[in-house]
Amino acid sequence: MRPLRCGERTQGIPLGLLAFWVTAARCLQSQGVSLYIPQSAINATVQQDILLSVDYICHGVPTIEWKYTPNWGVQRIVEWKPGTPANVSQSHRDRVCTFDNGSIQLFNVSVKDSGYYIVTVTEHPGSSQSGTILLRVSEIRYEDLHFVAVFFALLAAVAVVLISLMWVCNQCAYKFQRKRRYKLKGNALGRVVIPSCVGGQRWLLLPHSH
């Protein structure tokens, strides 16, 4: 058997590393699509605009599809590839906006929009990932509106009381200044104002000293 030379050993090491790298790259490619959903449940009220946020990682250009599952079945919302026009279903026409990261935005939601929303990101057949977001849409509670109405009515009543107090204070100040002006005028004429219980005030003329 021929002994192994040093040169042959050194040539075998790079070949082994190359094979390892190729195997590692294939393993990474076999992982396919990674999907991230930051918020799996969203609460909203009617007439709001809701963002169903997701993000994905893949090697190629994937196909993104959103479906909606109400109580009666499954309904397709939209399907598209990043950078291309979206194929929106008739039920959500003019009510959905798509983003390249896979997210969608629903405009003017109603109670019937409540349900599970399923997003599927497919890179090629056999390599896909799906996720679910629960959307709960509730009506505006009239109890809250009643509380707001009572609060504003209370503020209006307080404002009226303050305005009334300011008017009364202004009238009192005006009368006080008027009485003081009359007294100063009487003193300048040499008269003294004598209060009277009947008929208001009386003026007493004092002789001028020469």
Side-chain angles (χ1 to χ4, degrees), residues 23-193:
T23 304
R26 290 180 178 177
C27 291
L28 291 175
Q29 291 180 358
S30 63
Q31 292 179 359
V33 181
S34 297
L35 182 64
Y36 172 67
I37 299 178
Q39 190 174 2
S40 59
I42 299 175
N43 296 321
T45 55
V46 293
Q47 297 182 353
Q48 276 190 312
D49 297 338
I50 305 302
L51 177 64
L52 303 180
S53 178
V54 299
D55 202 356
Y56 65 88
I57 298 175
C58 66
H59 299 281
V61 179
T63 300
I64 305 169
E65 183 182 22
W66 280 87
K67 294 181 180 179
Y68 166 57
T69 57
N71 296 328
W72 47 268
V74 179
Q75 181 180 1
R76 189 179 69 86
I77 299 176
V78 61
E79 181 180 358
W80 82 100
K81 288 185 178 182
T84 62
N87 184 14
V88 184
S89 63
Q90 188 65 31
S91 60
H92 289 76
R93 188 78 63 182
D94 300 328
R95 290 192 57 227
V96 63
C97 178
T98 62
F99 300 90
D100 287 343
N101 67 343
S103 304
I104 62 172
Q105 186 173 16
L106 300 176
F107 300 107
N108 195 21
V109 296
S110 61
V111 177
K112 66 180 182 179
D113 291 320
S114 299
Y116 288 93
Y117 288 79
I118 303 172
V119 55
T120 303
V121 181
T122 304
E123 185 179 7
H124 54 78
S127 177
S128 64
Q129 192 68 253
S130 298
T132 303
I133 298 178
L134 174 61
L135 176 62
R136 304 185 188 96
V137 182
S138 59
E139 295 181 353
I140 300 176
R141 293 184 297 180
Y142 291 99
E143 292 82 0
D144 297 339
L145 295 178
H146 178 71
F147 173 78
V148 173
V150 171
F151 178 74
F152 278 105
L154 180 61
L155 288 180
V158 172
V160 170
V161 172
L162 292 177
I163 292 174
S164 300
L165 290 176
M166 292 177 62
W167 183 84
V168 171
C169 293
N170 189 24
Q171 292 297 321
C172 292
Y174 174 76
K175 289 182 179 180
F176 176 77
Q177 292 178 357
R178 187 177 180 183
K179 287 182 179 180
R180 186 177 181 182
R181 191 182 303 114
Y182 284 160
K183 288 182 180 180
L184 294 175
K185 185 177 180 181
N187 292 333
L189 295 175
R191 293 181 294 182
V192 177
V193 180

